[in-house]
Amino acid sequence: MAVQFSEALKKTIEEVSEIAGYLWQRGWAERNAGNISLCLKDIPRSDLPDDYQPFFISLPESFPDVAGKCFLITATNHRMRDMARQPMKNAIIIRVTDDGNGFNIISHYGKTDLRPTSELASHLAVHSMIARRKSSERTIIHTHVNEIAALTQLREFCDEKHLNRVIWSMHPEARIFVPGGVGFVPYSMPGTTRAVEATVRSLEDHQVAIWEKHGLFAIGSNPSETFDLIDIIAKSASIYLMCRSTGKEPEGLTDIQIDELGKLKF
Ligand code: 2HA
Ligand code: ZN
């Protein structure tokens, strides 16, 4: 028997699965690539079954800043394309314990073989940073955007300034809708402390951290807005690569044009 979720939680799960489908359709989520997490508003006890047995897993390090918080998070070794169709067979809801040293699986009555993504430490570290600064982002999406993986195979784009210049100058909307630009995280083994720390540092100043030769990690207030950010960045990178495939260097918007777009108010 499945756990009965509130209507609000059901809608949230639907929204995440819709976005998971887009990641797959865009070709950014091969095999089990990518992961999504969402910090849930407190789950009322009434949303949990009376007899639920929260399954406990300890964390290799403590995350006190997200103690007591609940997250919907994609499961390790599961596919985004399956998440799109059957979200709760491919994601779990966890609650970080009150001491931050572990978490309980609170979906599936705690009875499931599903385990959180291999990038759990990156997700919890970024949610912790967001909690410390009390900003409104609740969603994290990691995905393998082809255009970004391709661009960062070229040494000249493994540079924050150069990357932002390309992203902002290839399409007017990019300057408007990615106002903080992107951060750049040099390649390191995914999931390692080094990668996690560099990602958190990068997301302190940007909504998107580009992962060299891998993809990106983006934060936003909800799944749709987070996807929009990624979509716009991918568009700019793709226009750049299309132009370059003609053998020519694109002209791009000028600094003045980019500044002018930066001053637009909505
Ligand atoms: O979830 O994409 O970087 C699998 C990955 C790890
Ligand atoms: Zn990845």
Side-chain angles (χ1 to χ4, degrees), residues 220-261:
S221 48
N222 59 49
S224 298
E225 271 183 25
T226 315
F227 177 80
D228 287 343
L229 267 176
I230 302 172
D231 196 20
I232 288 169
I233 288 166
K235 174 130 194 155
S236 276
S238 152
I239 293 170
Y240 179 79
L241 293 168
M242 278 170 150
C243 292
R244 283 287 295 261
S245 71
T246 65
K248 295 185 181 146
E249 186 66 28
E251 203 167 80
L253 299 173
T254 64
D255 286 344
I256 293 170
Q257 289 165 335
I258 293 173
D259 282 351
E260 196 175 55
L261 289 161

Short mmCIF file of all heavy atoms in Angstrom, two decimals, residues 220-261:
data_model
loop_
_atom_site.label_atom_id
_atom_site.label_comp_id
_atom_site.label_asym_id
_atom_site.label_seq_id
_atom_site.Cartn_x
_atom_site.Cartn_y
_atom_site.Cartn_z
N GLY A 220 17.13 26.87 -7.48
CA GLY A 220 16.04 27.81 -7.78
C GLY A 220 14.90 27.62 -6.80
O GLY A 220 14.89 26.66 -6.03
N SER A 221 13.95 28.56 -6.85
CA SER A 221 12.89 28.49 -5.85
C SER A 221 11.96 27.30 -6.09
O SER A 221 11.44 26.73 -5.15
CB SER A 221 12.12 29.80 -5.79
OG SER A 221 11.79 30.20 -7.07
N ASN A 222 11.75 26.93 -7.34
CA ASN A 222 10.91 25.74 -7.59
C ASN A 222 11.46 24.99 -8.81
O ASN A 222 12.33 25.52 -9.52
CB ASN A 222 9.44 26.15 -7.77
CG ASN A 222 9.27 27.11 -8.94
OD1 ASN A 222 9.77 26.87 -10.04
ND2 ASN A 222 8.58 28.21 -8.69
N PRO A 223 10.97 23.78 -9.06
CA PRO A 223 11.55 22.98 -10.15
C PRO A 223 11.46 23.67 -11.51
O PRO A 223 12.41 23.62 -12.30
CB PRO A 223 10.73 21.69 -10.12
CG PRO A 223 10.26 21.57 -8.70
CD PRO A 223 10.02 22.98 -8.24
N SER A 224 10.33 24.33 -11.80
CA SER A 224 10.18 24.95 -13.13
C SER A 224 11.18 26.08 -13.33
O SER A 224 11.82 26.18 -14.38
CB SER A 224 8.77 25.50 -13.31
OG SER A 224 7.87 24.46 -13.24
N GLU A 225 11.30 26.95 -12.32
CA GLU A 225 12.24 28.07 -12.45
C GLU A 225 13.69 27.58 -12.57
O GLU A 225 14.49 28.17 -13.28
CB GLU A 225 12.14 28.97 -11.22
CG GLU A 225 11.10 30.04 -11.39
CD GLU A 225 11.05 30.98 -10.21
OE1 GLU A 225 12.07 31.13 -9.50
OE2 GLU A 225 9.98 31.55 -9.98
N THR A 226 13.99 26.52 -11.86
CA THR A 226 15.35 25.99 -11.92
C THR A 226 15.61 25.41 -13.31
O THR A 226 16.68 25.63 -13.90
CB THR A 226 15.55 24.91 -10.82
OG1 THR A 226 14.99 25.41 -9.61
CG2 THR A 226 17.01 24.59 -10.61
N PHE A 227 14.60 24.73 -13.86
CA PHE A 227 14.75 24.21 -15.21
C PHE A 227 14.92 25.35 -16.21
O PHE A 227 15.74 25.27 -17.13
CB PHE A 227 13.54 23.34 -15.60
CG PHE A 227 13.63 22.86 -17.02
CD1 PHE A 227 14.42 21.77 -17.35
CD2 PHE A 227 12.97 23.54 -18.04
CE1 PHE A 227 14.55 21.36 -18.67
CE2 PHE A 227 13.10 23.13 -19.36
CZ PHE A 227 13.88 22.04 -19.67
N ASP A 228 14.14 26.43 -16.04
CA ASP A 228 14.23 27.57 -16.97
C ASP A 228 15.66 28.13 -17.04
O ASP A 228 16.16 28.45 -18.12
CB ASP A 228 13.30 28.70 -16.52
CG ASP A 228 11.83 28.38 -16.77
OD1 ASP A 228 11.55 27.47 -17.56
OD2 ASP A 228 10.97 29.04 -16.15
N LEU A 229 16.27 28.23 -15.88
CA LEU A 229 17.65 28.74 -15.83
C LEU A 229 18.58 27.87 -16.69
O LEU A 229 19.38 28.37 -17.49
CB LEU A 229 18.18 28.61 -14.40
CG LEU A 229 18.07 29.72 -13.42
CD1 LEU A 229 18.60 29.24 -12.06
CD2 LEU A 229 18.88 30.92 -13.88
N ILE A 230 18.44 26.56 -16.47
CA ILE A 230 19.30 25.60 -17.18
C ILE A 230 19.03 25.68 -18.68
O ILE A 230 19.95 25.68 -19.51
CB ILE A 230 19.05 24.16 -16.65
CG1 ILE A 230 19.31 24.10 -15.15
CG2 ILE A 230 19.90 23.15 -17.39
CD1 ILE A 230 18.91 22.77 -14.49
N ASP A 231 17.74 25.80 -19.02
CA ASP A 231 17.32 25.84 -20.42
C ASP A 231 17.94 27.04 -21.15
O ASP A 231 18.42 26.94 -22.28
CB ASP A 231 15.78 25.94 -20.41
CG ASP A 231 15.15 25.61 -21.73
OD1 ASP A 231 15.80 24.95 -22.54
OD2 ASP A 231 13.98 26.02 -21.93
N ILE A 232 17.93 28.18 -20.47
CA ILE A 232 18.45 29.41 -21.09
C ILE A 232 19.97 29.31 -21.29
O ILE A 232 20.51 29.68 -22.34
CB ILE A 232 18.07 30.64 -20.22
CG1 ILE A 232 16.58 30.91 -20.36
CG2 ILE A 232 18.89 31.87 -20.61
CD1 ILE A 232 16.03 31.91 -19.37
N ILE A 233 20.65 28.76 -20.29
CA ILE A 233 22.10 28.60 -20.40
C ILE A 233 22.44 27.64 -21.54
O ILE A 233 23.35 27.89 -22.35
CB ILE A 233 22.66 28.11 -19.05
CG1 ILE A 233 22.59 29.25 -18.04
CG2 ILE A 233 24.08 27.57 -19.17
CD1 ILE A 233 22.78 28.84 -16.61
N ALA A 234 21.67 26.56 -21.62
CA ALA A 234 21.90 25.58 -22.68
C ALA A 234 21.67 26.22 -24.05
O ALA A 234 22.38 25.95 -25.02
CB ALA A 234 20.97 24.38 -22.50
N LYS A 235 20.67 27.10 -24.12
CA LYS A 235 20.34 27.77 -25.39
C LYS A 235 21.52 28.62 -25.86
O LYS A 235 21.94 28.54 -27.01
CB LYS A 235 19.10 28.63 -25.20
CG LYS A 235 18.75 29.46 -26.39
CD LYS A 235 17.31 29.30 -26.73
CE LYS A 235 17.04 29.86 -28.11
NZ LYS A 235 15.88 29.23 -28.69
N SER A 236 22.05 29.42 -24.95
CA SER A 236 23.19 30.27 -25.31
C SER A 236 24.38 29.43 -25.76
O SER A 236 25.01 29.72 -26.77
CB SER A 236 23.63 31.11 -24.11
OG SER A 236 22.86 32.26 -24.03
N ALA A 237 24.68 28.39 -24.98
CA ALA A 237 25.83 27.54 -25.32
C ALA A 237 25.61 26.88 -26.67
O ALA A 237 26.52 26.77 -27.50
CB ALA A 237 26.04 26.50 -24.23
N SER A 238 24.36 26.50 -26.92
CA SER A 238 24.06 25.83 -28.17
C SER A 238 24.18 26.78 -29.37
O SER A 238 24.71 26.41 -30.42
CB SER A 238 22.67 25.22 -28.01
OG SER A 238 22.03 25.12 -29.20
N ILE A 239 23.72 28.03 -29.20
CA ILE A 239 23.86 29.01 -30.30
C ILE A 239 25.35 29.23 -30.60
O ILE A 239 25.77 29.27 -31.76
CB ILE A 239 23.16 30.35 -29.92
CG1 ILE A 239 21.65 30.14 -29.84
CG2 ILE A 239 23.50 31.46 -30.94
CD1 ILE A 239 20.88 31.31 -29.24
N TYR A 240 26.13 29.32 -29.53
CA TYR A 240 27.57 29.52 -29.72
C TYR A 240 28.17 28.37 -30.53
O TYR A 240 28.89 28.58 -31.51
CB TYR A 240 28.27 29.65 -28.35
CG TYR A 240 29.75 29.82 -28.51
CD1 TYR A 240 30.28 31.07 -28.84
CD2 TYR A 240 30.61 28.74 -28.40
CE1 TYR A 240 31.64 31.23 -29.05
CE2 TYR A 240 31.97 28.89 -28.59
CZ TYR A 240 32.48 30.15 -28.91
OH TYR A 240 33.82 30.30 -29.12
N LEU A 241 27.84 27.14 -30.10
CA LEU A 241 28.43 25.97 -30.77
C LEU A 241 27.93 25.85 -32.22
O LEU A 241 28.68 25.46 -33.10
CB LEU A 241 28.13 24.70 -29.98
CG LEU A 241 28.83 24.64 -28.61
CD1 LEU A 241 28.26 23.51 -27.76
CD2 LEU A 241 30.34 24.48 -28.76
N MET A 242 26.67 26.25 -32.46
CA MET A 242 26.12 26.23 -33.83
C MET A 242 26.92 27.17 -34.73
O MET A 242 27.27 26.83 -35.86
CB MET A 242 24.67 26.70 -33.84
CG MET A 242 23.67 25.68 -33.46
SD MET A 242 22.09 26.54 -33.25
CE MET A 242 21.00 25.26 -33.70
N CYS A 243 27.18 28.37 -34.19
CA CYS A 243 27.94 29.36 -34.97
C CYS A 243 29.35 28.83 -35.25
O CYS A 243 29.84 28.88 -36.37
CB CYS A 243 28.04 30.68 -34.23
SG CYS A 243 26.48 31.53 -34.07
N ARG A 244 29.96 28.28 -34.19
CA ARG A 244 31.34 27.77 -34.35
C ARG A 244 31.39 26.61 -35.35
O ARG A 244 32.41 26.41 -36.01
CB ARG A 244 31.88 27.31 -32.99
CG ARG A 244 32.33 28.44 -32.08
CD ARG A 244 33.62 29.11 -32.52
NE ARG A 244 34.76 28.24 -32.45
CZ ARG A 244 35.64 28.22 -31.45
NH1 ARG A 244 35.51 29.06 -30.43
NH2 ARG A 244 36.64 27.40 -31.45
N SER A 245 30.27 25.87 -35.46
CA SER A 245 30.30 24.73 -36.38
C SER A 245 30.31 25.19 -37.85
O SER A 245 30.56 24.40 -38.75
CB SER A 245 29.13 23.78 -36.11
OG SER A 245 27.94 24.40 -36.52
N THR A 246 30.04 26.48 -38.07
CA THR A 246 30.16 27.01 -39.44
C THR A 246 31.63 27.34 -39.74
O THR A 246 31.97 27.75 -40.84
CB THR A 246 29.35 28.32 -39.62
OG1 THR A 246 29.94 29.33 -38.78
CG2 THR A 246 27.90 28.15 -39.27
N GLY A 247 32.46 27.24 -38.72
CA GLY A 247 33.88 27.57 -38.91
C GLY A 247 34.16 29.02 -38.57
O GLY A 247 35.29 29.49 -38.70
N LYS A 248 33.13 29.74 -38.14
CA LYS A 248 33.32 31.17 -37.83
C LYS A 248 33.04 31.44 -36.36
O LYS A 248 32.33 30.68 -35.70
CB LYS A 248 32.39 32.01 -38.69
CG LYS A 248 32.74 31.89 -40.16
CD LYS A 248 31.91 32.81 -40.99
CE LYS A 248 32.29 32.62 -42.46
NZ LYS A 248 31.17 32.79 -43.34
N GLU A 249 33.57 32.56 -35.90
CA GLU A 249 33.34 32.97 -34.51
C GLU A 249 32.11 33.88 -34.49
O GLU A 249 32.03 34.83 -35.28
CB GLU A 249 34.59 33.73 -34.03
CG GLU A 249 34.61 34.12 -32.56
CD GLU A 249 34.69 32.95 -31.58
OE1 GLU A 249 35.25 31.89 -31.96
OE2 GLU A 249 34.19 33.10 -30.46
N PRO A 250 31.11 33.61 -33.64
CA PRO A 250 29.94 34.50 -33.61
C PRO A 250 30.29 35.90 -33.10
O PRO A 250 31.24 36.06 -32.34
CB PRO A 250 29.00 33.81 -32.64
CG PRO A 250 29.84 32.91 -31.82
CD PRO A 250 31.02 32.53 -32.66
N GLU A 251 29.50 36.86 -33.55
CA GLU A 251 29.76 38.25 -33.17
C GLU A 251 29.43 38.50 -31.68
O GLU A 251 30.20 39.11 -30.96
CB GLU A 251 28.88 39.14 -34.03
CG GLU A 251 29.36 40.54 -34.19
CD GLU A 251 28.60 41.24 -35.30
OE1 GLU A 251 27.46 41.68 -35.05
OE2 GLU A 251 29.15 41.32 -36.42
N GLY A 252 28.30 38.00 -31.26
CA GLY A 252 27.86 38.20 -29.86
C GLY A 252 27.36 39.62 -29.63
O GLY A 252 27.62 40.52 -30.42
N LEU A 253 26.63 39.79 -28.53
CA LEU A 253 26.20 41.14 -28.15
C LEU A 253 27.41 41.90 -27.65
O LEU A 253 28.35 41.30 -27.12
CB LEU A 253 25.14 41.06 -27.05
CG LEU A 253 23.85 40.31 -27.40
CD1 LEU A 253 22.97 40.17 -26.16
CD2 LEU A 253 23.08 41.01 -28.50
N THR A 254 27.38 43.21 -27.78
CA THR A 254 28.51 44.02 -27.28
C THR A 254 28.37 44.22 -25.77
O THR A 254 27.30 44.00 -25.20
CB THR A 254 28.51 45.41 -27.95
OG1 THR A 254 27.30 46.08 -27.52
CG2 THR A 254 28.56 45.34 -29.46
N ASP A 255 29.44 44.69 -25.14
CA ASP A 255 29.39 44.98 -23.69
C ASP A 255 28.28 45.98 -23.38
O ASP A 255 27.57 45.85 -22.39
CB ASP A 255 30.73 45.56 -23.21
CG ASP A 255 31.79 44.47 -23.14
OD1 ASP A 255 31.41 43.28 -23.16
OD2 ASP A 255 32.99 44.82 -23.08
N ILE A 256 28.15 46.99 -24.26
CA ILE A 256 27.12 48.02 -24.04
C ILE A 256 25.73 47.40 -24.10
O ILE A 256 24.87 47.66 -23.25
CB ILE A 256 27.27 49.17 -25.07
CG1 ILE A 256 28.58 49.91 -24.78
CG2 ILE A 256 26.07 50.13 -25.03
CD1 ILE A 256 28.99 50.92 -25.83
N GLN A 257 25.52 46.53 -25.08
CA GLN A 257 24.21 45.88 -25.21
C GLN A 257 23.92 44.99 -23.99
O GLN A 257 22.80 44.95 -23.48
CB GLN A 257 24.15 45.05 -26.50
CG GLN A 257 24.09 45.93 -27.74
CD GLN A 257 24.39 45.18 -29.03
OE1 GLN A 257 25.08 44.14 -29.03
NE2 GLN A 257 23.90 45.70 -30.14
N ILE A 258 24.94 44.30 -23.53
CA ILE A 258 24.76 43.41 -22.36
C ILE A 258 24.44 44.25 -21.12
O ILE A 258 23.52 43.93 -20.35
CB ILE A 258 26.01 42.53 -22.14
CG1 ILE A 258 26.15 41.53 -23.30
CG2 ILE A 258 25.93 41.77 -20.81
CD1 ILE A 258 27.42 40.72 -23.31
N ASP A 259 25.16 45.37 -20.95
CA ASP A 259 24.91 46.25 -19.78
C ASP A 259 23.50 46.81 -19.80
O ASP A 259 22.82 46.88 -18.78
CB ASP A 259 25.88 47.43 -19.79
CG ASP A 259 27.25 46.99 -19.29
OD1 ASP A 259 27.35 45.85 -18.80
OD2 ASP A 259 28.21 47.78 -19.42
N GLU A 260 23.08 47.19 -21.00
CA GLU A 260 21.74 47.75 -21.19
C GLU A 260 20.67 46.72 -20.75
O GLU A 260 19.72 47.06 -20.06
CB GLU A 260 21.62 48.01 -22.68
CG GLU A 260 20.54 48.89 -23.18
CD GLU A 260 20.75 49.06 -24.70
OE1 GLU A 260 20.81 48.03 -25.43
OE2 GLU A 260 20.83 50.19 -25.15
N LEU A 261 20.88 45.46 -21.15
CA LEU A 261 19.92 44.40 -20.77
C LEU A 261 19.93 44.18 -19.26
O LEU A 261 18.89 43.94 -18.64
CB LEU A 261 20.29 43.08 -21.46
CG LEU A 261 20.05 43.04 -22.95
CD1 LEU A 261 20.86 41.93 -23.61
CD2 LEU A 261 18.56 42.83 -23.24
#
